[in-house]
Amino acid sequence: MERAVSGAALPDFVERAADLTRRTTLGLPGRAAWYAEIRSVEQLAMLAGDSRQRRFVLGAGSNLVLTGDFDGLVLRMAIRGRELIGEDDDAWYVRAGAGEDWHRLVLWTLAQGWPGLENLALIPGTVGAAPIQNIGAYGLEVAERFHSLDAVDMSTGSTLQLDRSACRFGYRDSVFKQQGWHLNGQRVITRVTFRLPKRWQPLTGYAELAAELDRMPRSGSDTGPGSGPASVLTPRQIADAVIAVRSRKLPDPAALPNAGSFFHNPVVSAAVAEGLARAFPGLPRYPQADGGVKLAAGWLIEQSGWKGRDLGRVGMYEKQALVLVNRGGACGADVVALARAVQEDVCKRFGVELAPEPILL
Ligand code: EPU
């Protein structure tokens, strides 16, 4: 810690007392004792090896609740670059720097004619953050398009590669969360390689996406809303539909600060889900491969009376109850208080525990 406190041995690119408020999408106040923009693997290696120093790795700050000041070193990943590194009969392999903007990567791959990421359009955040919580939307998780990632082990400064099985992906989960590597800045993702399928199939099973596509005019011979079979769809049209649905329901963090879904969708046993459905007809239920049943946290929150309701300077968004928004000037304690109130009410009414999705720092 002495090194960080005195700053004697820290390289020039490390700043002191950096304000993080505008570096997170919830816009909560907080400072980092030390802060560095990381543009290269070499910079990371220069900061490796000091086990006394607390570290946190920041991307776009779109999945983070700052509960106050951070007495350690924040590494903001700004490693750029995106390229096709290879292809075979089945796929294109695209590698991107951890600091690239996720949505721009999606649009760029589509413009190059490499489909596969379209269902994940408009998700806020960086490329490096995508595998950490296995981002997902509209029937697709990034794990399904993931090939491998490069990371730096901050205890030694050495680089390593993790393939899909080493990442141990789950619902909004990976080895980076399971092992605490992300929260303690122990292994830092520098680049991610995606595997984009040449035999592309549109994924339009998500009801809201299908409805949006039905309303959209189609290109090609089959024009007009709802007229064509799914096979005439292009990846770009799916991206456009996803963008339309997301823009309607999810607040733009630049206009209304938020961190996306604030809670995970809870998974309960089939017996619990059945009991709840008997008591609450209309309960959305999504059976999982392992026999569990995923429930919709947004529905549970709405039914508990929290949709569009505020507690002080924060509230649950009026168009999507799963999104916690900062109405202006909120701090970490406001967010924690609202999250607790919502958790308590949902638990009282349904007996279901909600777990926060963003990282609390
Ligand atoms: N619902 C309500 N009231 C609400 C919100 C939702 O009743 O206020 C109901 C909906 O009617 C629907 C069900 O809950 O029956 C599910 O809602 P929705 O399709 O909007 O999806 P979600 O489960 O709330 C998840 C992801 C989103 C992702 C969408 C689309 C999680 C925690 N959230 O939300 O991801 O965009 O599905 O795939 O899994 C994120 O992780 O930050 C995120 C935005």
Side-chain angles (χ1 to χ4, degrees):
M1 210 57 202
E2 292 79 21
R3 280 197 348 161
V5 172
S6 70
L10 287 171
D12 291 350
F13 58 84
V14 178
E15 293 168 34
R16 281 164 192 259
D19 189 355
L20 299 177
T21 312
R22 269 178 286 281
R23 301 199 184 279
T24 74
T25 60
L26 253 172
L28 305 173
R31 283 173 170 274
W34 304 92
Y35 175 88
E37 295 254 345
I38 302 298
R39 298 179 191 284
S40 69
V41 174
E42 291 69 33
Q43 279 180 306
L44 269 184
M46 287 171 76
L47 293 166
D50 188 347
S51 58
R52 294 164 301 178
Q53 195 179 67
R54 277 185 80 200
R55 287 186 215 97
F56 182 75
V57 183
L58 185 67
S62 53
N63 200 44
L64 182 65
V65 177
L66 271 183
T67 57
D69 291 342
F70 180 71
D71 182 25
L73 171 64
V74 167
L75 305 170
R76 196 180 81 83
M77 295 311 289
I79 296 177
R80 305 298 298 268
R82 47 191 196 195
E83 58 180 328
L84 182 72
I85 59 163
E87 64 181 289
D88 55 26
D89 289 347
D90 299 322
W92 290 280
Y93 297 85
V94 172
R95 187 165 64 194
E100 289 287 338
D101 176 74
W102 173 260
H103 179 59
R104 277 198 218 128
L105 174 74
V106 173
L107 294 184
W108 178 75
T109 54
L110 295 177
Q112 306 301 309
W114 308 322
L117 299 178
E118 56 283 347
N119 291 53
L120 305 179
L122 210 61
I123 295 183
T126 55
V127 165
I132 293 172
Q133 62 151 352
N134 185 17
I135 56 170
Y138 306 103
L140 182 71
E141 289 183 340
V142 78
E144 292 163 68
R145 301 289 184 250
F146 178 90
H147 176 265
S148 59
L149 60 78
D150 300 321
V152 170
D153 184 328
M154 293 302 285
S155 51
T156 60
S158 58
T159 56
L160 62 150
Q161 203 174 56
L162 271 68
D163 65 11
R164 192 179 142 144
S165 76
C167 284
R168 306 212 314 246
F169 290 118
Y171 166 58
R172 295 296 190 278
D173 197 27
S174 73
V175 70
F176 286 86
K177 290 172 93 175
Q178 294 150 15
Q179 298 291 322
W181 292 342
H182 177 58
L183 198 54
N184 61 25
Q186 200 181 323
R187 288 190 172 182
V188 180
I189 297 170
T190 53
R191 294 190 299 194
V192 183
T193 302
F194 301 92
R195 185 180 182 283
L196 304 178
K198 287 195 171 170
R199 277 180 283 274
W200 175 77
Q201 291 287 327
L203 287 176
T204 58
Y206 205 93
E208 230 182 326
L209 176 59
E212 183 67 30
L213 284 163
D214 254 7
R215 280 195 294 271
M216 282 172 54
R218 303 264 172 91
S219 58
S221 54
D222 252 329
T223 52
S227 54
S231 58
V232 306
L233 279 173
T234 66
R236 180 66 221 208
Q237 284 169 323
I238 294 185
D240 287 343
V242 167
I243 291 168
V245 173
R246 288 190 76 98
S247 309
R248 238 188 349 256
K249 287 180 59 174
L250 298 169
D252 174 3
L256 186 57
N258 73 87
S261 296
F262 197 85
F263 297 102
H264 288 277
N265 282 330
V267 179
V268 299
S269 70
V272 167
E274 212 167 293
L276 280 170
R278 269 197 300 274
F280 302 98
L283 174 90
R285 285 180 287 170
Y286 309 98
Q288 303 295 292
D290 64 1
V293 177
K294 198 187 267 183
L295 306 178
W299 189 90
L300 300 173
I301 295 168
E302 178 170 354
Q303 298 300 313
S304 302
W306 276 102
K307 189 171 188 169
R309 184 169 152 203
D310 292 352
L311 184 66
R313 297 172 287 191
V314 288
M316 303 312 292
Y317 188 52
E318 39 283 8
K319 295 183 198 159
Q320 214 317 0
L322 191 45
V323 179
L324 186 154
V325 294
N326 176 358
R327 304 277 183 205
C331 66
D334 297 325
V335 172
V336 170
L338 174 58
R340 285 218 183 104
V342 170
Q343 282 168 315
E344 273 173 30
D345 284 356
V346 166
C347 192
K348 257 188 246 153
R349 193 166 165 79
F350 299 102
V352 173
E353 304 280 348
L354 292 183
E357 193 195 81
I359 289 167
L360 272 78
L361 188 66

